[in-house]
């Protein structure tokens, strides 16, 4: 759910505008970035720059861009996907401007160049920014793939020419992993070898945006004498846009799903959405026998050519259990890891990039705290200064003194409900009869010279919620209370609520209905 804001002399730009799917809430709504802080600070970006077309980088644009009305710059594939999203919501697409990888443009004091990188979607780009006296590289999502299948490998000469860079804002997703991420070319070989061994029909599930993987599946199917069909709206949409841009010119002809029944089982390959266990996706419908034109039979094979996104493990396991009951053969990241390659850099790739661009400072983004900390450790090993591991809402300054955390602005989640962006339900009583349990918190507090302090024991009662580390929660709560400057209980509650939701969202598998009660007590007198 990426949205980064860069400002210089009161001129602001935004990079990416993504969303995520909340698997822990009823009906699986979209969660989008919260604009309250930016609005309160008077930050309105003059332009939105898109690094690539993944949902966590473009998915929120159709909901948040109307607040800005600024031009949107994107490479052809991302621009095509954005136009579809805007048209579906009845928005004009005039603001979406195409910029080719390698091109540069100016916006106010910012000069930006789109630098082509390899990733799990074509046309992924890093952004090189020159502003004031500083040169900043915003990497976006990337890897160093020597055989990406679609597009060219990364140019080492292009990146060496950037050195030295003042700051790199870098992808931390695979920073704990030693070695090198796999290549799409190697995955293509593994897919063909696996398909050649399969009997019956084959269903391959992958991310719809991974055009290189779709190309690999198509080539493998063709060489194994099989015909291809697509299942899932996002898969059909992505193939349509990619074909229009020439990425699938030699892709085999597609068979409509409703004609698959006329083909012998050993001649069928289906490319389907749903590798993350999404409840409405094609693979879930197949697992539950709810597809109107296709039914899995014992002896068929299902290949998961995708890695589980953290947080989706339970849904994926339920999906695999349903498939196992159908007596199909399962191939996944555990029994056949060669069938997937990550789109993010491991440690060897991070080192190589930083040797090329010679950054002075690193700001590790993406991933969780442990990923950022591993990225910081690698930077220190290379004598790159990395003093901060930012969290959502951090206002960070880059100046002659280096990187400084100016202020931490809590970011309560926002979801899309009935085509509008609304605060996350849970603390205001609007989220009745939660399917994910209830959490009751009651605490007594007293004002101190610097903030507030808890008096006595925290009263915590949970009903059907996911497990929670109460000791860590209490330590976190005491730290928050000590730093909140509020004159009344109402102001304290207003300040604490969004932080509380943010902590629970991060640390619980499922978000419960939350009831918070705060009572004032006098500070005990010392004797």
């Amino acid at each position: 759910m990426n949205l980064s804001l860069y400002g210089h002399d009161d001129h602001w730009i935004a990079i990416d505008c993504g969303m995520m799917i909340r698997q822990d809430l009823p009906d699986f709504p979209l969660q989008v970035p919260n604009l309250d802080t930016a609005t309160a600070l008077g930050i309105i970006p003059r332009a939105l720059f898109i690094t690539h077309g993944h949902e966590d980088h473009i998915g929120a644009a159709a909901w948040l861009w109307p607040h800005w009305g600024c031009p949107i710059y994107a490479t052809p594939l991302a621009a095509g996907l954005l136009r579809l999203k805007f048209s579906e919501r009845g928005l004009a697409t005039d603001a979406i401007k195409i910029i080719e990888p390698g091109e540069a443009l100016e916006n106010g004091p910012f000069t930006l160049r789109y630098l082509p990188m390899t990733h799990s979607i074509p046309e992924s780009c890093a952004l090189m920014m020159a502003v004031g006296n500083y040169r900043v590289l915003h990497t976006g999502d990337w890897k160093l793939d020597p055989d990406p299948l679609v597009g060219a490998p990364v140019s080492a000469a292009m990146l060496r020419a950037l050195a030295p860079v003042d700051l790199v804002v870098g992808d931390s997703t695979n920073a704990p992993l030693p070695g090198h991420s796999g290549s799409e070319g190697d995955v293509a070989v593994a897919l063909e070898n696996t398909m050649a061994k399969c009997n019956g029909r084959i269903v391959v599930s992958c991310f719809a945006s991974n055009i290189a993987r779709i190309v690999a599946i198509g080539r493998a199917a063709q060489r194994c004498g099989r015909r291809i069909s697509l299942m899932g709206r996002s898969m059909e949409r992505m193939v349509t846009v990619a074909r229009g841009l020439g990425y699938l010119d030699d892709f085999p002809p597609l068979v409509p799903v409703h004609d698959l029944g006329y083909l012998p089982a050993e001649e069928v390959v289906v490319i389907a959405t749903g590798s993350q266990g999404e409840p409405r996706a094609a693979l879930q419908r197949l697992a539950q026998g709810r597809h109107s034109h296709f039914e899995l039979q014992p002896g068929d094979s299902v290949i998961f050519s995708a890695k589980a996104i953290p947080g989706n493990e339970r849904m994926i396991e339920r999906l695999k259990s349903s498939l196992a009951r159908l007596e199909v053969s399962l191939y996944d990241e555990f029994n056949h890891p060669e069938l997937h390659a990550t789109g993010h850099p491991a440690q060897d790739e991070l080192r190589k990039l930083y040797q090329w661009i010679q950054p002075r400072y690193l700001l590790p983004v993406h991933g969780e705290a442990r990923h950022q900390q591993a990225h910081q450790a690698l930077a220190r090993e290379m004598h790159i200064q990395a003093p901060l591991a930012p969290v959502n809402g951090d206002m960070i300054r880059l100046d002659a003194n280096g990187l400084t955390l100016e202020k931490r602005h809590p970011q309560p989640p926002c979801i899309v409900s009935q085509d509008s962006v609304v605060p996350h339900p849970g603390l205001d009583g609007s989220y009745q009869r939660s399917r994910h349990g209830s959490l009751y918190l009651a605490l007594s507090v007293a004002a101190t010279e610097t903030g507030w302090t808890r008096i006595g024991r925290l009263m915590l009662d949970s009903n059907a919620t996911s497990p929670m580390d109460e000791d860590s929660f209490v330590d976190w709560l005491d730290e928050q209370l000590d730093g909140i400057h509020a004159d009344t209980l109402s102001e304290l509650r207003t300040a604490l609520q969004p932080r509380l939701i943010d902590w629970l969202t991060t640390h619980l598998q499922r978000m419960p209905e939350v009831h918070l009660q705060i009572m004032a007590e006098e500070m005990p007198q010392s004797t």
Side-chain angles (χ1 to χ4, degrees):
M1 195 175 64
N2 297 275
L3 170 59
S4 300
L5 294 163
Y6 289 88
H8 181 79
D9 285 345
D10 294 326
H11 185 105
W12 290 85
I13 62 171
I15 295 181
D16 291 329
C17 191
M19 64 84 175
M20 63 182 284
I21 297 175
R22 287 300 298 272
Q23 307 261 25
D24 60 326
L25 292 177
D27 301 321
F28 308 94
L30 308 181
Q31 182 174 323
V32 298
N34 191 319
L35 295 184
D36 289 351
T37 296
T39 302
L41 296 174
I43 296 174
I44 299 177
R46 308 284 185 88
L48 170 59
F49 298 92
I50 300 296
T51 60
H52 64 282
H54 276 152
E55 287 296 303
D56 59 330
H57 291 257
I58 67 170
W63 281 276
L64 302 189
W65 172 83
H67 296 278
W68 304 330
C70 60
I72 303 173
Y73 296 96
T75 53
L77 179 60
L81 296 171
L82 278 169
R83 287 188 176 123
L84 285 175
K85 291 178 177 295
F86 275 44
S87 297
E88 286 179 352
R89 296 208 66 233
L91 298 172
T93 60
D94 301 354
I96 302 171
K97 317 292 184 185
I98 291 179
I99 183 166
E100 295 290 342
E103 290 186 353
L105 71 162
E106 294 184 357
N107 187 271
F110 290 86
T111 300
L112 300 98
R113 183 174 295 278
Y114 274 69
L115 305 177
M117 304 290 282
T118 47
H119 183 44
S120 53
I121 187 172
E123 302 175 3
S124 189
C125 289
L127 291 177
M128 184 67 203
M129 290 179 279
V131 55
N133 297 319
Y134 299 96
R135 301 171 75 249
V136 178
L137 181 68
H138 183 105
T139 70
D141 293 353
W142 66 281
K143 63 187 284 189
L144 297 180
D145 191 337
D147 186 14
L149 291 190
V150 176
V154 170
S155 167
M158 170 193 73
L159 292 169
R160 285 194 187 100
L162 303 178
V165 170
D166 293 297
L167 170 67
V168 60
V169 180
D171 183 355
S172 309
T173 307
N174 281 337
L177 300 182
H180 197 288
S181 64
S183 171
E184 287 296 331
D186 294 336
V187 175
V189 172
L191 281 167
E192 183 176 343
N193 291 338
T194 301
M195 282 190 194
K197 300 173 186 175
C198 291
N199 300 310
R201 294 169 298 179
I202 300 173
V203 176
V204 186
S205 188
C206 64
F207 295 114
S209 57
N210 196 334
I211 302 301
R213 194 68 50 82
I214 293 171
V215 168
I217 297 167
R219 291 177 182 174
Q222 207 168 28
R223 289 169 182 163
C224 293
R226 292 177 178 263
R227 308 283 296 278
I228 299 171
S229 186
L230 303 180
M231 278 189 191
R233 184 182 174 206
S234 61
M235 186 68 68
E236 293 168 355
R237 171 190 292 182
M238 184 64 69
V239 167
T240 298
V241 174
R243 266 194 161 144
L245 294 170
Y247 286 118
L248 298 173
D249 285 347
D250 56 355
F251 196 69
L254 295 172
V255 176
V257 173
H258 53 74
D259 288 345
L260 290 177
Y262 299 106
L263 293 176
E266 64 273 11
E267 293 183 14
V268 172
V269 169
V270 173
I271 310 176
T273 58
S275 65
Q276 301 304 300
E278 301 96 319
R280 299 190 188 95
L283 191 56
Q284 190 72 254
R285 286 184 282 130
L286 290 175
Q288 296 175 2
R290 293 190 291 107
H291 198 284
S292 55
H293 300 292
F294 193 87
E295 186 174 345
L296 287 170
Q297 303 288 342
D300 291 343
S301 298
V302 175
I303 298 172
F304 285 80
S305 188
K307 189 177 180 64
I309 295 174
N312 294 345
E313 293 87 353
R314 290 186 181 181
M315 299 189 70
I316 295 172
E317 284 308 308
R318 286 200 293 269
L319 169 62
K320 289 178 180 177
S321 295
S322 298
L323 291 168
R325 284 194 290 271
L326 298 178
E327 299 181 41
V328 301
S329 299
L330 291 178
Y331 300 81
D332 61 18
E333 62 181 292
F334 303 106
N335 58 22
H336 286 274
E338 72 277 7
L339 294 172
H340 176 65
T342 177
H344 302 271
Q347 291 177 1
D348 286 355
E349 292 153 280
L350 291 169
R351 289 190 183 95
K352 185 169 288 188
L353 176 66
Y354 299 157
Q355 287 167 358
W356 288 342
I357 66 173
Q358 299 174 28
R360 183 182 177 192
Y361 290 98
L362 165 73
L363 192 65
V365 295
H366 303 345
E368 300 173 0
R370 66 183 183 90
H371 303 91
Q372 293 173 296
Q373 290 161 7
H375 204 170
Q376 286 177 294
L378 183 143
R380 286 192 291 269
E381 168 197 311
M382 300 185 69
H383 307 293
I384 300 167
Q385 299 180 62
L388 302 176
V391 299
N392 290 335
D394 279 4
M395 177 75 80
I396 295 167
R397 178 179 294 276
L398 171 64
D399 58 18
N401 297 316
L403 289 174
T404 307
L405 176 61
E406 293 274 291
K407 191 169 183 181
R408 179 157 286 169
H409 298 276
Q411 298 294 294
C414 286
I415 63 170
V416 175
S417 176
Q418 298 179 350
D419 266 354
S420 61
V421 177
V422 299
H424 186 292
L427 291 182
D428 57 1
S430 63
Y431 195 38
Q432 300 298 322
R433 296 186 300 278
S434 170
R435 288 199 240 167
H436 298 307
S438 301
L439 185 66
Y440 295 87
L441 301 171
L443 63 151
S444 299
V445 297
T448 68
E449 293 183 2
T450 57
W452 296 77
T453 188
R454 180 168 53 88
I455 303 297
R457 201 163 65 87
L458 170 70
M459 305 300 292
L460 188 151
D461 184 23
S462 59
N463 174 27
T465 64
S466 53
M468 174 173 156
D469 184 342
E470 293 188 18
D471 290 338
S472 295
F473 175 69
V474 170
D475 291 342
W476 172 86
L477 180 62
D478 288 344
E479 181 181 329
Q480 297 301 308
L481 289 170
D482 186 53
I484 293 177
H485 303 288
D487 294 329
T488 66
L489 286 183
S490 176
E491 291 178 3
L492 175 61
R493 180 186 175 89
T494 300
L496 184 59
Q497 280 181 350
R499 304 185 192 196
L500 179 59
I501 291 180
D502 192 49
W503 192 93
L504 294 171
T505 301
T506 303
H507 291 83
L508 295 188
Q509 181 72 26
R510 300 173 298 172
M511 185 67 186
E513 178 183 355
V514 181
H515 303 270
L516 174 64
Q517 183 179 5
I518 305 177
M519 299 157 286
E521 301 282 353
E522 290 188 3
M523 182 72 79
Q525 299 295 315
S526 57
T527 57

